[in-house]
Amino acid sequence: MADNKDLQKDVELKEKDEKVTPAAEDKNEIKETTGSTVEIYDEDDDDEVEVYKKPKKKIKKKWIVLGIVALLIIFFIVRGFFAAKNAVLPVETVDVSKGTIENILSVSGTVESADSKSYFADVVAPVDQVNVKVGDKVSSGDVLFTYDEAQLDIAEKTAQLDIKQAKGSYSALYSGAGAADREYAKGMNAQQINERLDAITAEMDAIDNKIQEKQNRMSQTLTDLNKTMLDVNQNGIADGTAEAVLDGNDEYITRRENDNNDSDVSESNKQMSLALQESILEVQDALKNDPEIQAWQRDKTALAEEQAHLTSAKAAQVNGGQATAQKASMESVQINKEDQIAKIENAKGGIKAEFNGVVTELDVVEGATLAAGTKTITLANLDDVQVNVQISKSDLPKIAVGQKVDIKINGKDYTGEITKISGSAAKNANGVAVVDTTIKVTNPDSDIILGVEASNKIHAEKAENTIVLPYEYVSTDADGDFVYVLEDGKAVRKPVTIGISTSTEAQITEGLSENDKVITSNLELLTDGMPVVAMEVQ
């Protein structure tokens, strides 16, 4: 080992002091570099000489490659940084235009009948035949069940007899003799009859007074005429025989001027006597046939007739309370029995469905005698069908009464509309607040099955002739919703207000105008004011 160390030192010293001449390279030498030493073989030398060189450190190739790659990456990053300051980003745009947007809510619900009717027995009679069972669909007019017809006939005749008996009892209160007078005083009570009788008496007394007054005046006139006649004839008739001479004498009465019975009657006395006789006859006739007195007599006769009828009617009247009670009883029986007869007539031929429906309850069996008021059958109406749904509080502002609904029941399409929104919320099975909402099926048919689930698409909010954008073009950050618009070669940020929104579109109520160019690509690279250029979409 010591010899080797000494030999290595000699070689190192030799390398320092001597230079290898180029001529040496022209010699045929073979160099082997497979180890830490280099052996040189000189063809001219017979002796073999070993030369040892100092080992050199080797650099691995992979580290060199990695270094080059890193330099290239740094180069491109730096170049991109400096180039970005002056770069123009290509973008795609779309012109803002107006259209229609509609928010359709999808919700499931349960199909129900909006109306049902329970049928109750109106008559007391045995059931003859039941034609339905629970779950059966029936059409309007179908016979649900029938009664025993013979028993219905007996019940109807019994009711008719009850009415006849009630009327007879009421009529027995009044005698037949006073029937005409009662009819004459129809509508008048006892007090009214008495008041009228008193008025008739007063009127008759007033007429009598007028007749008597006029007759008295006429009698006085007759008396005065007779006295005048006597005065005219007093000179020709002795006082003791005046009445005998005048009695029956219808000729001129002569007047004796002297005691020898020589007649000396003046012409004036004759004319006066005739005039007096005519006046007396006229007054006497007036006492019998005066038109005014006769009219008064006729009025008095009419009043007397009315008085007689009313007096008879008053005598024939029954006690007011008794008559009222009996009449009320008769009318009550008549009303009840006529209603019973109508129900019996309706029951003949069977109890029929009043609408298209489904039998949901059946409480009647054949042969049973039903008491009045017994529940028999319940029908759910298939002509009035609704779907009950529950709307979440987030969707509640979107719906309103009258909105149209597309309904699918058991694979079949129907139409409907919202008719009722509950005024209070309730918790569903998951504890979420929901609001019960009723959707009326506007075109129901016999294919509908109650109780099944229906899918509903509510045509909720809708706006026409409004700005609509795909939702993907709208960005959102802490400051709110916005879009980028291409203006003068730059991307300009525009805050927008969203109205109606769907899963794919949004109504822009503020922030944009028609024909604005909204940027639709590279949105994540844009900043406000960045230079951009619109690309043509192939």
Side-chain angles (χ1 to χ4, degrees), residues 53-107:
K53 290 185 177 181
K54 184 177 180 180
K56 295 182 179 179
K57 295 182 179 179
K58 295 179 64 178
I59 300 174
K60 292 184 178 180
K61 291 182 180 180
K62 66 178 182 178
W63 298 112
I64 295 174
V65 173
L66 290 175
I68 293 172
V69 172
L71 289 174
L72 289 173
I73 291 173
I74 294 172
F75 169 76
F76 284 113
I77 291 175
V78 173
R79 188 181 71 173
F81 174 76
F82 287 102
K85 292 184 177 181
N86 299 317
V88 177
L89 182 66
V91 294
E92 296 178 359
T93 64
V94 64
D95 289 341
V96 172
S97 61
K98 291 186 177 181
T100 299
I101 185 171
E102 184 177 22
N103 200 332
I104 297 179
L105 300 179
S106 295
V107 60

Side-chain angles (χ1 to χ4, degrees), residues 350-364:
I351 303 303
K352 300 175 182 178
E354 298 177 14
F355 46 75
N356 299 323
V358 177
V359 179
T360 58
E361 294 181 44
L362 182 63
D363 301 304
V364 61

Side-chain angles (χ1 to χ4, degrees), residues 15 38 55-56 62 83 87 199 220 233 249 313 338 348 367 392 400 404 411 413 441 452 469 528:
E15 289 178 348
V38 179
K56 295 182 179 179
K62 66 178 182 178
Q220 184 62 45
N233 296 326
N249 183 14
E338 286 178 351
K348 290 181 178 180
S392 65
K404 303 303 180 183
D413 294 327
V441 180
V452 301
L469 282 181
D528 191 20

